[in-house]
Amino acid sequence: MTDLAPSKAEQVHARLKEEIELGELAPGASLSELWLVERTGASRTPVREALRRLAAEGLVDLVPRQGARVSRVSARSVRDLFEFRTLLEPAAVRQATEAAGADPGLHREFAAMRDAFAGTLDQAPSTARSRSFYELADRFDWAVIRAARNEHLRRTIAELRPHTARLRNLSHLDPQRVEVSVGEHLAVCDALLAGDADGAAAALVEHLQRSVETIFRNLAGSPWEDLDLLG
Amino acid sequence: MTDLAPSKAEQVHARLKEEIELGELAPGASLSELWLVERTGASRTPVREALRRLAAEGLVDLVPRQGARVSRVSARSVRDLFEFRTLLEPAAVRQATEAAGADPGLHREFAAMRDAFAGTLDQAPSTARSRSFYELADRFDWAVIRAARNEHLRRTIAELRPHTARLRNLSHLDPQRVEVSVGEHLAVCDALLAGDADGAAAALVEHLQRSVETIFRNLAGSPWEDLDLLG
DNA sequence: GTATGCAACCCTGTATACAAGACCCGCCGA
DNA sequence: TCGGCGGGTCTTGTATACAGGGTTGCATAC
């Protein structure tokens, strides 16, 4: 309604964020303002603004008088990320459980997602299925974030999302993992729908634990394996 | 060594941040770029950059095509802030406790702070004592943040600090509160120094609980009382 | 052959000019 | 008298010019 034209700064920000998330801009890649100007067609002002925003989100490192680089991935950064998510997301899912208990519409929304997850298991394993699963998982994450009532919690978790997505995209998708991950999501959904906040939180912690293990396993076979582990 | 000259953007950012923290720029105050240019002597580019950074930190609200305002304080924002701190800071103090147990130098540092807190009780109640106590409490908070080993946790807690400080400055200092607060800090210190992570976390939660109660009590007598409670 | 100093290039930090949207106030019509 | 419309002004969004620091690579001296 308000903005039929998102600002160029926002466009550049969104594009760079996506490219970093997808791994098209590799960790450590240098991002000169001039190069970005050529690539995006915007001028230096919006490019600078986008870079600063990305730096605030931790997706690029900004060295004064020297420029920007895509932030690196290290074993430590992965550990920190998942440890932090393990602190935040159970709290969010607890709040979401309470919210779903109080709001029938929200409850139905989560129920629909539970069914969608269950439906995933009927499809034969394939990259397409992995894709649609990850999309669904993403929508679920967003639903939980939105249902959390604490503004700081929402913002902070939302800011972590691109980091997680990047890790998933840097490691190669593991079709095996999808089966298990669907089950973990179902467990979270079931507990949430039953109003069992503790159960939902515990199931989520379980999921995060498995996820980080998978990422470490898969990262070991990726080109980024030896990128930097100086954390 | 590297920067004998902090960039103007950084200077403007630091100045605005401090003024917002101190309440000199009241919640809701409009921050036109041109006005800031006049006040700071910098040009619009660094001013804009500072505003964007402050917006990312939640200290100003940025409405596209319309400008920036100092972010408002509502009952809900206070609740959200302390609820979030209650989630994060116990984790940080746990990590700090472990760190102090492993690093004698760090342990001594915290021991010195404990003694400094104890020394505060010998002084007669006065604004000067309140001031020096809050300074000390601030240094303690920073020490805990630094000792935490998780990067995300550190950054996020550090980002919340200005919000808390602003609330303290918007409500009037309560000399009564200092006595109690010193005791709470001593409890956290003692547990931390004893290697009792759970105890330190619990003491900190207790402190946060009392703090938010005090703030609500004091805010009720301040000019901001009716500012907006639409949270 | 290696180390050191210098110079040219490139980059970011800053200032400012230009474009375009948003708001306010006054006018006109019902 | 009230509501809608239009122009003017102010504000932000964007582009670009200018200045200063950093880096790199080469030349020269040891």
Side-chain angles (χ1 to χ4, degrees), chain A residues 93 110-122 133 136-137 140-141 177-194 196 199-204 206-207:
Chain A
V93 87
F110 278 113
M113 284 201 178
R114 192 251 321 259
D115 295 345
F117 276 120
T120 305
L121 289 174
D122 299 336
F133 162 68
L136 185 56
F140 177 72
D141 289 347
R177 168 76 184 137
V178 170
E179 305 283 340
V180 184
S181 194
V182 168
E184 292 160 12
H185 277 82
L186 280 174
V188 177
C189 284
D190 285 337
L192 187 154
L193 290 168
D196 175 12
L204 186 58
E206 174 76 15
H207 169 63

Side-chain angles (χ1 to χ4, degrees), chain A residues 5 28 33 46 61 66 81-82 86 90 108 110 121 153 176 194 200 211 216:
Chain A
E33 293 177 4
D61 295 332
Q66 194 167 338
L81 175 63
F82 276 83
T86 301
R108 274 192 297 277
F110 278 113
L121 289 174
L153 186 60
Q176 298 283 318
S211 294
F216 270 120

